[in-house]
Amino acid sequence: MAETSSRYSTDLLIVGGGPAGCAAAVMAASLGMGSILIEADALCGKLRHIAAVNNVVGGHASGPELGAAIAGDVARTELCTVELGVCASEIRAQDDRVTVTTDTGQRLEAPYVVVATGVGPLPVGEAPWLTVATEAMPPTLWGAKISDASRGVLLVLGADRPLGTFLRAHPALDATVVVAYPPEDDYKVDEVRNDPRVTLLPVTALTLRRGDGPRFAAEWTDRQGHVGAATTDAAFLNLGSAPTPPPGALAQGPDGYCPPDQQHPRILTAGDLRASRYQRITAATGSGAEAALRAYYTELDA
């Protein structure tokens, strides 16, 4: 199928170079489809910040190791052209094609596009239970660099999945990890509940301010309405994620995600961008491969 019409830039456009986008490129090549993959950062850049992974097949135990392996697979794919440092500024779909305009001024066209731009950290302003003073804004737990020799009290704001990854990546961490979380995160704490380093703090509201030196001062209201306060040696945001679709023709649900069954027939969403419930590395790669297959068979049957 690599006989791309002169009307198009390639057989398949891929926006996003995480596991889903990379899997789409590799699958497309195996079907004889040429592709152009654009990525704002590096291939699997976010994955390389995950110190430990335990839900993928293939024997890779760390994000950097897995990310390098996936990028290597794409590099060996001669039918895929990778353009890094490039973002999609607009995606438009017509009856016979899809057009991706980039922030570098390119105008790329193909019969189909796989959009796999994933998610980013949920902004503090979208967590109604949490108030953070401007001068006290902590880093995200995802990708945090911390030594196992760290001691004292670490306050984690929110119980999203990076918490379990963080604890697995630091088995020798000699610190108390206080996890403050709202009712909507109740089901997420099961993964870490039995870790002896973890102290669970169910709250309805919490305010974080800068304390003395590098420390933080927290005040909260627990589920019984009691008010508490403490100072911590470090604090990290772990609020969850928000979808990051490119501007243009993508259809978003009420939660901002882009379900595949709501898109224009020539726009195929894959990976974490699809829904909040299926944000797993293995699920992302499978959905990217499936999206490429869908483009192939739809065009074949046309």
Side-chain angles (χ1 to χ4, degrees):
M1 191 176 172
E3 301 176 1
T4 304
S5 166
S6 59
R7 297 187 303 158
Y8 302 124
S9 307
T10 187
D11 295 316
L12 182 67
L13 295 173
I14 303 169
V15 181
C22 290
V26 172
M27 178 58 73
S30 75
L31 301 167
M33 298 173 68
S35 64
I36 297 174
L37 186 157
I38 66 172
E39 163 58 42
D41 187 15
L43 293 183
C44 295
K46 293 180 180 178
L47 176 58
R48 296 175 193 241
H49 289 281
I50 301 176
V53 294
N54 69 341
N55 60 354
V56 299
V57 296
H60 299 291
S62 75
E65 178 185 344
L66 179 59
I70 293 174
D73 289 338
V74 176
R76 289 186 290 272
T77 301
E78 295 181 357
L79 291 179
C80 179
T81 298
V82 177
E83 298 188 11
L84 301 179
V86 178
C87 295
S89 57
E90 185 180 52
I91 295 178
R92 292 295 176 192
Q94 300 175 358
D95 290 341
D96 64 340
R97 71 188 63 200
V98 63
T99 302
V100 175
T101 304
T102 74
D103 60 350
T104 60
Q106 290 179 287
R107 191 170 183 269
L108 303 171
E109 293 189 334
Y112 299 93
V113 63
V114 175
V115 185
T117 49
V119 298
L122 184 74
V124 170
E126 295 186 25
W129 63 277
L130 179 62
T131 301
V132 179
T134 302
E135 75 282 358
M137 190 64 65
T140 60
L141 184 66
W142 177 84
K145 304 296 183 182
I146 188 169
S147 168
D148 281 352
S150 298
R151 297 178 180 273
V153 177
L154 311 183
L155 175 64
V156 177
L157 301 168
D160 204 51
R161 284 187 301 274
L163 176 59
T165 301
F166 171 81
L167 293 169
R168 289 193 300 273
H170 298 281
L173 179 66
D174 187 18
T176 298
V177 181
V178 177
V179 182
Y181 61 99
E184 54 266 32
D185 280 6
D186 283 350
Y187 73 98
K188 298 180 181 180
V189 300
D190 289 341
E191 182 182 5
V192 301
R193 186 183 303 278
N194 296 324
D195 191 310
R197 298 168 294 177
V198 170
T199 298
L200 297 178
L201 180 61
V203 301
T204 57
L206 186 144
T207 298
L208 188 71
R209 297 185 177 87
R210 179 63 67 179
D212 296 332
R215 307 189 80 193
F216 291 84
E219 299 178 0
W220 62 85
T221 302
D222 66 18
R223 306 286 178 84
Q224 288 72 45
H226 303 140
V227 176
T231 58
T232 69
D233 299 283
F236 299 95
L237 293 173
N238 187 41
L239 303 177
S241 53
T244 56
L250 272 76
Q252 296 178 253
D255 58 359
Y257 286 89
C258 303
D261 60 356
Q262 295 182 18
Q263 307 307 314
H264 186 281
R266 295 192 178 274
I267 296 177
L268 308 167
T269 55
D272 291 357
L273 186 64
R274 299 171 301 155
S276 61
R277 291 188 173 186
Y278 302 106
Q279 294 178 10
R280 301 292 190 275
I281 297 167
T282 300
T285 54
S287 71
E290 182 180 352
L293 283 168
R294 185 177 299 277
Y296 174 78
Y297 284 117
T298 303
E299 191 70 5
L300 192 68
D301 295 339

